[in-house]
Amino acid sequence: MDAIDDLGDAIDVTRNRLTPFRTGTWLRLALIVFFVSSLGLGGPTIPGGDTGTVTDDPAVEEQPQELGGVAGEELLFWALAIVLLLWLLYEFISAVMEFVFLESLRSSEVHVRRYFSANLGKGLWLFLFRFGLRVLLAVVTIAPAAVLLLSMESGLDGFSMGLLLLYLLYVIVLGLLYVITMRFTTEFVAPIMLLTDRGVRDGWGRFWSTMTANWSDYVVYLLLVWILQFVIGIAATIIIGLSGLLLAIPFVIVGVLLVLAFDAAGLVLAILLGVVGFVLFLLLASLLYVPVETYFRYYALLLLGDTDADLDLIPDRRGAVRGGGPVDGGDRGGGNGPAGFGGTDPDTDRSSDRRGATGWDDPSGRNDDRDDASRWDSPSDWDDDRDETGGWNDDRDETGGWDDDHDDTESREDRSDDRNEDDDYGW
């Protein structure tokens, strides 16, 4: 079954993509993972309770409290508005980053700005789909309960245990459908949108036929992913928590010393230091979560390509771990494929095309076939055997042709002439 076989292949593909460790690649992937994984910000919560009370007593002494209540309501309103706007902005960036992550996984390069600008349209459609799905979930979850409460004169007391259990079952089913839809949209529909340049609705239409034709694989995929995420999530939480604790110790010590030494100014500095520490913690957590998120995305991409070859977003990487190339990355940087599969990577600034421009053909930087036009500045004994025409002297005559019959005297004279010529050219 593809859903089971792809578990091991996803490990190989993840290892090939992330190794050898390159600081630039990992930092850019950490930025992307911050937006596309559970490490990001959650949705805003609307505080409950009273936001202010208005008294019936028109006494003058009560007026400041009433004004204070109004000011508190306005402050709360603007605070909630700011939080909502920040959340919407984060959700939009997250939607675009989904396609940035997919581009980074299928290619050998990670260009955040280039991929971001190229996928703004797809990201907007994905953002609107997610937002609409959340609104729909809220409506179909709250509406039945509201209708029942309004239809009952006794309010909550009119709810029977059987009715409550039925409503809870209804909510659980809705939650499962929401989670599955969101996961399939992110893991399978988004790659189809990127590969075939479709919208969300057309992407779902294209994926639906594949999913229904291979429903057993996708059911097994869901079960395995939920189990793996539960286990790996616990381990990742422990590791990230311990790492965050170790990171926080020096910041806490320095913050306390600043408060004790500078009083109010030290408190401000301690707060700024805390903000820096929190940002560093998010960066650390994202770095630690890069291989986890990369693995689960490759697992989904492998399954999608196995169930429908026309929807394969990573054919080169799939072939590398299944006999089409070295599983361990092999000759990185030596071909035209992705990094880790005989391709180049921008973090290394290496390219096989440089040989045509600079004449470097081997790792040592020497080129036995280099002509006199390149003019090396450092002395070398490489040209002791070259004639006046720049050819190899031990087998060439004065016209540049091969001459196996020349004598040793002529050869020694040619070598002497070549050394004089080398001095003129700066070898």
Side-chain angles (χ1 to χ4, degrees), residues 32-327:
I32 299 171
V33 166
F34 170 76
F35 287 99
V36 302
S37 71
S38 58
L39 294 176
L41 302 175
T45 57
I46 306 300
D50 295 334
T51 58
T53 57
V54 179
T55 179
D56 294 331
D57 189 354
V60 176
E61 60 271 16
E62 298 294 332
Q63 194 69 21
Q65 295 182 3
E66 183 177 352
L67 292 176
V70 173
E73 290 178 355
E74 292 180 356
L75 180 63
L76 181 60
F77 170 79
W78 287 110
L80 293 179
I82 292 174
V83 171
L84 179 60
L85 289 176
L86 291 177
W87 176 71
L88 291 175
L89 178 62
Y90 172 82
E91 285 295 319
F92 172 72
I93 296 176
S94 298
V96 181
M97 282 295 187
E98 295 288 351
F99 298 98
V100 176
F101 195 32
L102 291 172
E103 291 276 19
S104 303
L105 293 181
R106 76 167 176 174
S107 66
S108 62
E109 303 177 351
V110 183
H111 298 294
V112 178
R113 287 180 296 178
R114 182 191 304 174
Y115 297 158
F116 191 92
S117 60
N119 293 281
L120 282 174
K122 297 182 182 68
L124 177 61
W125 284 114
L126 183 60
F127 163 73
L128 293 176
F129 177 83
R130 289 175 169 178
F131 183 77
L133 191 62
R134 291 188 177 101
V135 173
L136 179 62
L137 176 67
V139 170
V140 298
T141 301
I142 298 174
V147 171
L148 288 175
L149 286 175
L150 293 176
S151 63
M152 295 178 180
E153 297 180 357
S154 56
L156 290 175
D157 296 334
F159 264 101
S160 64
M161 184 59 65
L163 190 59
L164 181 60
L165 292 177
L166 182 62
Y167 178 74
L168 290 178
L169 180 62
Y170 169 74
V171 171
I172 291 175
V173 172
L174 283 180
L176 285 176
L177 291 176
Y178 170 78
V179 171
I180 294 174
T181 303
M182 290 290 284
R183 172 171 289 278
F184 279 8
T185 301
T186 300
E187 307 286 349
F188 301 113
V189 176
I192 294 175
M193 294 171 61
L194 181 63
L195 185 64
T196 61
D197 196 20
R198 300 169 181 254
V200 181
R201 187 183 64 179
D202 292 339
W204 258 106
R206 180 65 179 84
F207 173 65
W208 184 260
S209 59
T210 300
M211 182 183 65
T212 53
N214 302 273
W215 63 269
S216 58
D217 279 303
Y218 287 96
V219 170
V220 173
Y221 163 81
L222 279 176
L223 296 176
L224 292 177
V225 163
W226 285 338
I227 294 173
L228 287 175
Q229 283 190 329
F230 177 76
V231 175
I232 296 177
I234 294 176
T237 301
I238 295 175
I239 295 174
I240 292 175
L242 292 177
S243 302
L245 181 62
L246 294 177
L247 179 65
I249 292 176
F251 283 91
V252 172
I253 294 175
V254 174
V256 171
L257 292 178
L258 287 175
V259 173
L260 294 177
F262 301 102
D263 295 333
L267 180 60
V268 175
L269 294 176
I271 293 175
L272 295 177
L273 185 65
V275 172
V276 174
F278 180 69
V279 172
L280 290 178
F281 169 73
L282 291 179
L283 175 61
L284 175 63
S286 299
L287 284 172
L288 293 175
Y289 213 76
V290 163
V292 177
E293 191 67 23
T294 302
Y295 170 79
F296 283 114
R297 292 304 176 94
Y298 273 135
Y299 179 33
L301 293 176
L302 288 172
L303 179 61
L304 180 63
D306 284 335
T307 53
D308 192 334
D310 294 334
L311 301 179
D312 191 0
L313 192 69
I314 51 171
D316 294 336
R317 299 187 181 280
R318 180 191 310 276
V321 300
R322 294 179 179 176
V327 174

